[in-house]
């Protein structure tokens, strides 16, 4: 039997817009533990009740990790996100041949980089999002913080937020060179020479600074 407790993370108190309503981010300590045994996953929170997930016969657990109100499990067949707020497991079946390269779990979201696609889980909403790489598209780097992340390829930027929509794409023009990337809990700033692009956790859009 395995148990994973994420380290305590403190989240900066800021105002953001969530699903069109103003919501205040509060300090989040670890409130989720994930354990596995006898072909089942168990999601535990401070209150009553245990969320159980039955795995398929022969399905192996490869990764277990938890942070804040979010739990993550990778098996030989699927990605599983656990929402501590909703006390619910949400699964996403992996395509045959997909290989997971990297994952990041934060207090409110999960970002998983695969060979064929990138996947994001929004814990408060209890849902997975998927963005397939284009033919010949080359992944370069990713940066993820508490509520926001950015994936950079040779063609575009992909912003992901714990609070809004799914993946938000911004094409990179030929010759664009990224000089620097700044990221904090809620804001990403991309430096492109004299231009600066901004992605924020509470807005479903990339913006260019004037």
């Amino acid at each position: 039997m395995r148990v994973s407790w994420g380290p305590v993370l403190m989240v900066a108190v800021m105002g953001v817009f969530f699903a069109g309503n103003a919501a205040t981010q509060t300090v989040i300590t670890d409130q989720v533990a994930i354990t596995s045994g006898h072909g089942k996953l168990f999601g535990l929170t401070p209150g009553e009740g245990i969320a159980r997930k039955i795995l398929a016969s022969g399905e192996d657990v490869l990764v277990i990790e938890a942070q804040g109100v979010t739990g993550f499990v990778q098996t030989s067949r699927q990605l599983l996100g656990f929402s501590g707020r909703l006390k619910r497991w949400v699964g996403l079946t992996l395509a045959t041949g997909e290989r997971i390269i990297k994952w990041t779990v934060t207090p409110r979201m999960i970002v998983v980089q695969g060979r064929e696609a990138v996947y994001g889980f929004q814990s408060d909403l209890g849902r997975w999002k998927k963005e397939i790489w284009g033919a010949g598209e080359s992944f370069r780097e990713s940066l993820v913080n508490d509520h926001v992340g950015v994936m950079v390829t040779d063609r575009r930027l992909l912003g992901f937020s714990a609070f809004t929509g799914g993946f938000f794409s911004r094409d990179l023009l030929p010759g664009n060179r990224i000089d620097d990337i700044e990221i904090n809990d809620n804001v990403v700033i991309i430096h492109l020479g004299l231009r600066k692009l901004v992605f924020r956790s509470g807005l479903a859009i990339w913006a260019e600074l004037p």
Side-chain angles (χ1 to χ4, degrees), residues 12 20 29-30 41 96 107 117 148 182 205 207:
T29 57
D30 289 322
L41 296 171
T96 302
V148 70
E182 299 179 56
I205 190 172

PDB file of all heavy atoms in Angstrom, residues 12 20 29-30 41 96 107 117 148 182 205 207:
ATOM      1  N   ALA A  12      -0.288  32.733  -2.608  1.00  0.00           N
ATOM      2  CA  ALA A  12      -0.462  34.167  -2.391  1.00  0.00           C
ATOM      3  C   ALA A  12      -1.935  34.535  -2.470  1.00  0.00           C
ATOM      4  O   ALA A  12      -2.674  34.012  -3.310  1.00  0.00           O
ATOM      5  CB  ALA A  12       0.323  34.944  -3.445  1.00  0.00           C
ATOM      6  N   GLY A  20     -16.333  33.700 -14.419  1.00  0.00           N
ATOM      7  CA  GLY A  20     -17.112  34.911 -14.537  1.00  0.00           C
ATOM      8  C   GLY A  20     -17.429  35.572 -13.216  1.00  0.00           C
ATOM      9  O   GLY A  20     -18.024  36.634 -13.185  1.00  0.00           O
ATOM     10  N   THR A  29      -3.325  24.652   2.448  1.00  0.00           N
ATOM     11  CA  THR A  29      -2.420  23.623   2.947  1.00  0.00           C
ATOM     12  C   THR A  29      -2.826  22.306   2.298  1.00  0.00           C
ATOM     13  O   THR A  29      -3.854  22.217   1.641  1.00  0.00           O
ATOM     14  CB  THR A  29      -2.517  23.510   4.477  1.00  0.00           C
ATOM     15  OG1 THR A  29      -3.870  23.237   4.835  1.00  0.00           O
ATOM     16  CG2 THR A  29      -2.062  24.799   5.152  1.00  0.00           C
ATOM     17  N   ASP A  30      -2.023  21.277   2.468  1.00  0.00           N
ATOM     18  CA  ASP A  30      -2.343  20.001   1.848  1.00  0.00           C
ATOM     19  C   ASP A  30      -3.572  19.384   2.495  1.00  0.00           C
ATOM     20  O   ASP A  30      -3.612  19.160   3.702  1.00  0.00           O
ATOM     21  CB  ASP A  30      -1.149  19.058   1.946  1.00  0.00           C
ATOM     22  CG  ASP A  30      -0.018  19.490   1.047  1.00  0.00           C
ATOM     23  OD1 ASP A  30      -0.310  19.956  -0.066  1.00  0.00           O
ATOM     24  OD2 ASP A  30       1.143  19.394   1.454  1.00  0.00           O
ATOM     25  N   LEU A  41      -7.930   2.772  -5.949  1.00  0.00           N
ATOM     26  CA  LEU A  41      -7.341   4.026  -5.484  1.00  0.00           C
ATOM     27  C   LEU A  41      -8.284   4.630  -4.458  1.00  0.00           C
ATOM     28  O   LEU A  41      -9.508   4.531  -4.584  1.00  0.00           O
ATOM     29  CB  LEU A  41      -7.154   5.005  -6.649  1.00  0.00           C
ATOM     30  CG  LEU A  41      -6.174   4.596  -7.745  1.00  0.00           C
ATOM     31  CD1 LEU A  41      -6.277   5.569  -8.910  1.00  0.00           C
ATOM     32  CD2 LEU A  41      -4.747   4.554  -7.207  1.00  0.00           C
ATOM     33  N   THR A  96      -3.295   4.736 -27.373  1.00  0.00           N
ATOM     34  CA  THR A  96      -2.309   3.669 -27.523  1.00  0.00           C
ATOM     35  C   THR A  96      -0.996   4.242 -28.039  1.00  0.00           C
ATOM     36  O   THR A  96      -0.980   4.978 -29.031  1.00  0.00           O
ATOM     37  CB  THR A  96      -2.825   2.603 -28.504  1.00  0.00           C
ATOM     38  OG1 THR A  96      -4.071   2.091 -28.020  1.00  0.00           O
ATOM     39  CG2 THR A  96      -1.830   1.468 -28.651  1.00  0.00           C
ATOM     40  N   PRO A 107      -1.229  23.005  -6.159  1.00  0.00           N
ATOM     41  CA  PRO A 107      -2.376  22.882  -5.257  1.00  0.00           C
ATOM     42  C   PRO A 107      -3.734  22.809  -5.961  1.00  0.00           C
ATOM     43  O   PRO A 107      -4.669  22.207  -5.433  1.00  0.00           O
ATOM     44  CB  PRO A 107      -2.271  24.139  -4.389  1.00  0.00           C
ATOM     45  CG  PRO A 107      -0.819  24.419  -4.326  1.00  0.00           C
ATOM     46  CD  PRO A 107      -0.316  24.087  -5.703  1.00  0.00           C
ATOM     47  N   ALA A 117       0.483  14.776 -26.927  1.00  0.00           N
ATOM     48  CA  ALA A 117      -0.399  15.862 -26.491  1.00  0.00           C
ATOM     49  C   ALA A 117       0.040  16.374 -25.131  1.00  0.00           C
ATOM     50  O   ALA A 117       0.887  15.779 -24.462  1.00  0.00           O
ATOM     51  CB  ALA A 117      -1.849  15.374 -26.419  1.00  0.00           C
ATOM     52  N   VAL A 148      -1.095  28.776 -12.905  1.00  0.00           N
ATOM     53  CA  VAL A 148      -0.910  29.084 -14.316  1.00  0.00           C
ATOM     54  C   VAL A 148       0.331  28.372 -14.838  1.00  0.00           C
ATOM     55  O   VAL A 148       1.269  28.096 -14.089  1.00  0.00           O
ATOM     56  CB  VAL A 148      -0.797  30.615 -14.521  1.00  0.00           C
ATOM     57  CG1 VAL A 148       0.513  31.152 -13.961  1.00  0.00           C
ATOM     58  CG2 VAL A 148      -0.979  31.009 -15.972  1.00  0.00           C
ATOM     59  N   GLU A 182       8.865  35.168 -17.568  1.00  0.00           N
ATOM     60  CA  GLU A 182       8.623  35.421 -16.147  1.00  0.00           C
ATOM     61  C   GLU A 182       7.315  34.740 -15.755  1.00  0.00           C
ATOM     62  O   GLU A 182       6.334  34.789 -16.494  1.00  0.00           O
ATOM     63  CB  GLU A 182       8.507  36.918 -15.873  1.00  0.00           C
ATOM     64  CG  GLU A 182       9.736  37.741 -16.205  1.00  0.00           C
ATOM     65  CD  GLU A 182       9.499  39.219 -15.929  1.00  0.00           C
ATOM     66  OE1 GLU A 182       9.145  39.557 -14.773  1.00  0.00           O
ATOM     67  OE2 GLU A 182       9.627  40.020 -16.862  1.00  0.00           O
ATOM     68  N   ILE A 205      -7.300  34.523 -22.318  1.00  0.00           N
ATOM     69  CA  ILE A 205      -6.760  35.175 -23.508  1.00  0.00           C
ATOM     70  C   ILE A 205      -5.309  35.551 -23.270  1.00  0.00           C
ATOM     71  O   ILE A 205      -4.877  35.802 -22.130  1.00  0.00           O
ATOM     72  CB  ILE A 205      -7.596  36.444 -23.844  1.00  0.00           C
ATOM     73  CG1 ILE A 205      -7.210  37.006 -25.219  1.00  0.00           C
ATOM     74  CG2 ILE A 205      -7.431  37.500 -22.757  1.00  0.00           C
ATOM     75  CD1 ILE A 205      -8.125  38.143 -25.685  1.00  0.00           C
ATOM     76  N   ALA A 207      -2.566  38.487 -24.074  1.00  0.00           N
ATOM     77  CA  ALA A 207      -2.608  39.912 -24.353  1.00  0.00           C
ATOM     78  C   ALA A 207      -1.191  40.415 -24.606  1.00  0.00           C
ATOM     79  O   ALA A 207      -0.225  39.881 -24.064  1.00  0.00           O
ATOM     80  CB  ALA A 207      -3.237  40.676 -23.196  1.00  0.00           C
TER      81      ALA A 207
END
